[in-house]
Amino acid sequence: MSRARDAAIAAATELFAERGYRQVTIRDIATLAGLSPAMVMKSVGNKQKLFHDVVTVEPLPLHSVPTSELGTALVRDLLDRFHADAVEPMTRVLMLRMTAPDPEPLRKEFVRGYFDPLTERLGGGDEAQLRAELAISALLGLAATLRIFSSTQTPKRYDEVLHRYGALVQQLIDG
Amino acid sequence: MSRARDAAIAAATELFAERGYRQVTIRDIATLAGLSPAMVMKSVGNKQKLFHDVVTVEPLPLHSVPTSELGTALVRDLLDRFHADAVEPMTRVLMLRMTAPDPEPLRKEFVRGYFDPLTERLGGGDEAQLRAELAISALLGLAATLRIFSSTQTPKRYDEVLHRYGALVQQLIDG
């Protein structure tokens, strides 16, 4: 049962992030997981419950790099995930938030996974929070144009993007 | 018939942008438009056709301001729309793109409405396109954190956000 549950959760995580809530069926999840639809329902409950089980936000990797290098490190991570064809947690949560039957828990997960840890890293308080919100805005926007609107020059110019956009995220972090 | 069509299109524009494709029914559109579902179908065809009729992207307002002031002007517009509780075209197209049954036409509309006009304004060519893509990224990210993830310090600090984020979009435009 636990192996079936793990397989169903893994399949659901992938499909919901790709297509959003409404366009995924229990049958789709069962097919990808190699289970029967009945087994999916038995191991995880209904689709809405499953959706809320898989929507934990992957937090921003706040490296051990000094705060003065954080902007570039975060942009580098984002570009490296894109070029490695790896999942982008920021656009994943955007898709989940925009298609969730109940969006509020997703919004809170985003705040807890992104705004809060960076605010804390920058010393806490309103001023740190403003800097964190603006830096996250810049990162989210870069992820969205790369992943959702397929900007075409940005992927070709790794070094320039890292240099220009990294410097800019750093400025927002520095305040 | 034309008045019914206009009412159906106006209602569909509002509902699709708010909830995405799947979570809107012909009945919802009919109710908001003050029409019968049969009249909606008769005047606009089916739901998918209607969706593609309403998804024209509202282009970026590329003011008559000098290019050296464009970054601040674009951030000011975005903040003013937010504070006036007006529709945000950038997050509207994001919602439509993420929920569209066929996302490719939406992606192309975004490129035509945002990347292309700014690239042209910046003189055309690959270098101008890179600058346009990065500036649009920063704007889209600010719109998304304000509208989709409800950042809380950003709306309270109009002048600082305009100054800091405007300067940064300007740097991306300047290259």
Short mmCIF file of all heavy atoms in Angstrom, two decimals, chain B residues 97-122:
data_model
loop_
_atom_site.label_atom_id
_atom_site.label_comp_id
_atom_site.label_asym_id
_atom_site.label_seq_id
_atom_site.Cartn_x
_atom_site.Cartn_y
_atom_site.Cartn_z
N ARG B 97 -2.61 31.51 -20.48
CA ARG B 97 -1.58 30.61 -21.00
C ARG B 97 -1.53 29.30 -20.20
O ARG B 97 -1.35 28.22 -20.75
CB ARG B 97 -0.23 31.31 -20.98
CG ARG B 97 1.02 30.45 -21.06
CD ARG B 97 1.17 29.72 -22.38
NE ARG B 97 2.35 28.84 -22.35
CZ ARG B 97 2.38 27.66 -21.74
NH1 ARG B 97 1.31 27.20 -21.12
NH2 ARG B 97 3.47 26.93 -21.77
N MET B 98 -1.65 29.41 -18.88
CA MET B 98 -1.50 28.23 -18.04
C MET B 98 -2.72 27.31 -18.05
O MET B 98 -2.62 26.17 -17.64
CB MET B 98 -1.14 28.64 -16.61
CG MET B 98 0.26 29.24 -16.56
SD MET B 98 0.91 29.43 -14.87
CE MET B 98 2.24 28.24 -14.88
N THR B 99 -3.84 27.83 -18.49
CA THR B 99 -5.04 27.00 -18.46
C THR B 99 -5.61 26.72 -19.86
O THR B 99 -6.62 26.04 -19.98
CB THR B 99 -6.15 27.65 -17.60
OG1 THR B 99 -6.61 28.85 -18.23
CG2 THR B 99 -5.65 27.96 -16.20
N ALA B 100 -4.98 27.27 -20.89
CA ALA B 100 -5.52 27.11 -22.25
C ALA B 100 -5.48 25.66 -22.70
O ALA B 100 -4.50 24.95 -22.44
CB ALA B 100 -4.70 27.95 -23.22
N PRO B 101 -6.52 25.18 -23.38
CA PRO B 101 -6.49 23.83 -23.94
C PRO B 101 -5.35 23.72 -24.97
O PRO B 101 -4.73 22.68 -25.10
CB PRO B 101 -7.85 23.66 -24.59
CG PRO B 101 -8.56 24.96 -24.51
CD PRO B 101 -7.80 25.87 -23.62
N ASP B 102 -5.09 24.81 -25.68
CA ASP B 102 -3.98 24.83 -26.63
C ASP B 102 -3.14 26.06 -26.29
O ASP B 102 -3.46 27.18 -26.70
CB ASP B 102 -4.55 24.92 -28.05
CG ASP B 102 -3.45 25.06 -29.09
OD1 ASP B 102 -2.26 24.87 -28.74
OD2 ASP B 102 -3.77 25.38 -30.25
N PRO B 103 -2.03 25.88 -25.55
CA PRO B 103 -1.30 27.05 -25.03
C PRO B 103 -0.47 27.83 -26.05
O PRO B 103 -0.19 29.00 -25.84
CB PRO B 103 -0.39 26.46 -23.95
CG PRO B 103 -0.32 25.00 -24.21
CD PRO B 103 -1.53 24.61 -25.00
N GLU B 104 -0.10 27.20 -27.17
CA GLU B 104 0.83 27.85 -28.09
C GLU B 104 0.35 29.21 -28.64
O GLU B 104 1.13 30.16 -28.68
CB GLU B 104 1.21 26.88 -29.22
CG GLU B 104 2.25 27.38 -30.20
CD GLU B 104 3.59 27.82 -29.59
OE1 GLU B 104 3.87 27.48 -28.42
OE2 GLU B 104 4.34 28.53 -30.28
N PRO B 105 -0.92 29.35 -29.04
CA PRO B 105 -1.35 30.67 -29.51
C PRO B 105 -1.21 31.76 -28.44
O PRO B 105 -0.91 32.91 -28.76
CB PRO B 105 -2.83 30.47 -29.86
CG PRO B 105 -2.98 29.00 -30.09
CD PRO B 105 -1.98 28.34 -29.20
N LEU B 106 -1.38 31.38 -27.18
CA LEU B 106 -1.23 32.34 -26.09
C LEU B 106 0.22 32.78 -25.93
O LEU B 106 0.50 33.94 -25.66
CB LEU B 106 -1.71 31.71 -24.78
CG LEU B 106 -3.14 31.94 -24.36
CD1 LEU B 106 -3.37 33.39 -24.02
CD2 LEU B 106 -4.11 31.47 -25.41
N ARG B 107 1.12 31.81 -26.05
CA ARG B 107 2.54 32.14 -25.96
C ARG B 107 2.91 33.11 -27.08
O ARG B 107 3.61 34.10 -26.86
CB ARG B 107 3.38 30.86 -26.08
CG ARG B 107 4.85 31.06 -25.70
CD ARG B 107 5.71 29.90 -26.09
NE ARG B 107 5.82 29.75 -27.54
CZ ARG B 107 6.54 30.54 -28.33
NH1 ARG B 107 7.23 31.54 -27.82
NH2 ARG B 107 6.56 30.35 -29.63
N LYS B 108 2.42 32.85 -28.27
CA LYS B 108 2.72 33.74 -29.40
C LYS B 108 2.14 35.14 -29.19
O LYS B 108 2.77 36.13 -29.55
CB LYS B 108 2.16 33.14 -30.70
CG LYS B 108 3.01 32.00 -31.22
CD LYS B 108 2.56 31.57 -32.60
CE LYS B 108 3.41 30.43 -33.13
NZ LYS B 108 2.66 29.56 -34.05
N GLU B 109 0.93 35.20 -28.62
CA GLU B 109 0.34 36.50 -28.33
C GLU B 109 1.21 37.28 -27.34
O GLU B 109 1.35 38.49 -27.45
CB GLU B 109 -1.06 36.33 -27.71
CG GLU B 109 -2.16 36.04 -28.71
CD GLU B 109 -2.53 37.26 -29.54
OE1 GLU B 109 -2.39 38.39 -29.06
OE2 GLU B 109 -2.95 37.06 -30.69
N PHE B 110 1.76 36.57 -26.36
CA PHE B 110 2.62 37.22 -25.38
C PHE B 110 3.87 37.79 -26.06
O PHE B 110 4.27 38.93 -25.82
CB PHE B 110 3.03 36.24 -24.28
CG PHE B 110 3.78 36.88 -23.14
CD1 PHE B 110 3.10 37.42 -22.06
CD2 PHE B 110 5.17 36.97 -23.16
CE1 PHE B 110 3.79 38.04 -21.01
CE2 PHE B 110 5.87 37.58 -22.12
CZ PHE B 110 5.16 38.11 -21.04
N VAL B 111 4.48 36.99 -26.91
CA VAL B 111 5.67 37.43 -27.64
C VAL B 111 5.33 38.66 -28.50
O VAL B 111 6.05 39.67 -28.49
CB VAL B 111 6.23 36.28 -28.51
CG1 VAL B 111 7.33 36.78 -29.45
CG2 VAL B 111 6.76 35.15 -27.62
N ARG B 112 4.20 38.61 -29.19
CA ARG B 112 3.77 39.73 -30.04
C ARG B 112 3.38 40.97 -29.24
O ARG B 112 3.53 42.09 -29.70
CB ARG B 112 2.55 39.32 -30.88
CG ARG B 112 2.91 38.72 -32.22
CD ARG B 112 1.70 38.74 -33.16
NE ARG B 112 0.62 37.88 -32.68
CZ ARG B 112 0.46 36.61 -33.05
NH1 ARG B 112 1.30 36.05 -33.90
NH2 ARG B 112 -0.52 35.88 -32.57
N GLY B 113 2.84 40.76 -28.05
CA GLY B 113 2.35 41.89 -27.24
C GLY B 113 3.42 42.50 -26.36
O GLY B 113 3.34 43.69 -26.01
N TYR B 114 4.41 41.70 -25.97
CA TYR B 114 5.41 42.20 -25.01
C TYR B 114 6.84 42.20 -25.56
O TYR B 114 7.45 43.25 -25.68
CB TYR B 114 5.33 41.39 -23.70
CG TYR B 114 4.02 41.64 -22.98
CD1 TYR B 114 2.96 40.77 -23.09
CD2 TYR B 114 3.86 42.82 -22.24
CE1 TYR B 114 1.75 41.04 -22.46
CE2 TYR B 114 2.66 43.09 -21.61
CZ TYR B 114 1.61 42.19 -21.72
OH TYR B 114 0.42 42.46 -21.10
N PHE B 115 7.38 41.02 -25.84
CA PHE B 115 8.79 40.96 -26.28
C PHE B 115 9.02 41.76 -27.58
O PHE B 115 9.96 42.54 -27.66
CB PHE B 115 9.25 39.52 -26.50
CG PHE B 115 9.30 38.66 -25.26
CD1 PHE B 115 9.05 37.29 -25.34
CD2 PHE B 115 9.63 39.19 -24.02
CE1 PHE B 115 9.12 36.47 -24.22
CE2 PHE B 115 9.70 38.38 -22.89
CZ PHE B 115 9.44 37.02 -23.00
N ASP B 116 8.17 41.54 -28.58
CA ASP B 116 8.43 42.15 -29.89
C ASP B 116 8.38 43.68 -29.89
O ASP B 116 9.32 44.31 -30.40
CB ASP B 116 7.45 41.60 -30.95
CG ASP B 116 7.77 40.16 -31.35
OD1 ASP B 116 8.82 39.64 -30.91
OD2 ASP B 116 6.97 39.57 -32.10
N PRO B 117 7.32 44.29 -29.32
CA PRO B 117 7.28 45.76 -29.38
C PRO B 117 8.42 46.42 -28.61
O PRO B 117 8.97 47.42 -29.06
CB PRO B 117 5.93 46.12 -28.74
CG PRO B 117 5.13 44.86 -28.71
CD PRO B 117 6.09 43.73 -28.73
N LEU B 118 8.81 45.84 -27.47
CA LEU B 118 9.91 46.45 -26.71
C LEU B 118 11.24 46.24 -27.44
O LEU B 118 12.09 47.14 -27.47
CB LEU B 118 9.95 45.90 -25.28
CG LEU B 118 10.96 46.57 -24.34
CD1 LEU B 118 10.81 48.09 -24.28
CD2 LEU B 118 10.88 45.99 -22.92
N THR B 119 11.42 45.07 -28.06
CA THR B 119 12.63 44.83 -28.85
C THR B 119 12.75 45.87 -29.96
O THR B 119 13.82 46.47 -30.17
CB THR B 119 12.58 43.42 -29.50
OG1 THR B 119 12.50 42.45 -28.47
CG2 THR B 119 13.80 43.16 -30.36
N GLU B 120 11.63 46.13 -30.63
CA GLU B 120 11.63 47.11 -31.72
C GLU B 120 11.94 48.50 -31.18
O GLU B 120 12.76 49.23 -31.75
CB GLU B 120 10.25 47.08 -32.40
CG GLU B 120 10.26 47.75 -33.76
CD GLU B 120 8.86 47.72 -34.39
OE1 GLU B 120 8.09 46.77 -34.11
OE2 GLU B 120 8.53 48.69 -35.12
N ARG B 121 11.29 48.84 -30.08
CA ARG B 121 11.52 50.15 -29.47
C ARG B 121 13.00 50.36 -29.10
O ARG B 121 13.53 51.46 -29.14
CB ARG B 121 10.64 50.27 -28.21
CG ARG B 121 10.94 51.40 -27.28
CD ARG B 121 10.45 52.74 -27.85
NE ARG B 121 10.86 53.84 -27.02
CZ ARG B 121 10.06 54.52 -26.20
NH1 ARG B 121 8.79 54.24 -26.14
NH2 ARG B 121 10.53 55.51 -25.46
N LEU B 122 13.67 49.24 -28.75
CA LEU B 122 15.09 49.32 -28.36
C LEU B 122 16.03 49.17 -29.55
O LEU B 122 17.23 48.96 -29.36
CB LEU B 122 15.40 48.30 -27.27
CG LEU B 122 14.58 48.44 -25.97
CD1 LEU B 122 14.95 47.36 -24.97
CD2 LEU B 122 14.75 49.84 -25.36
#
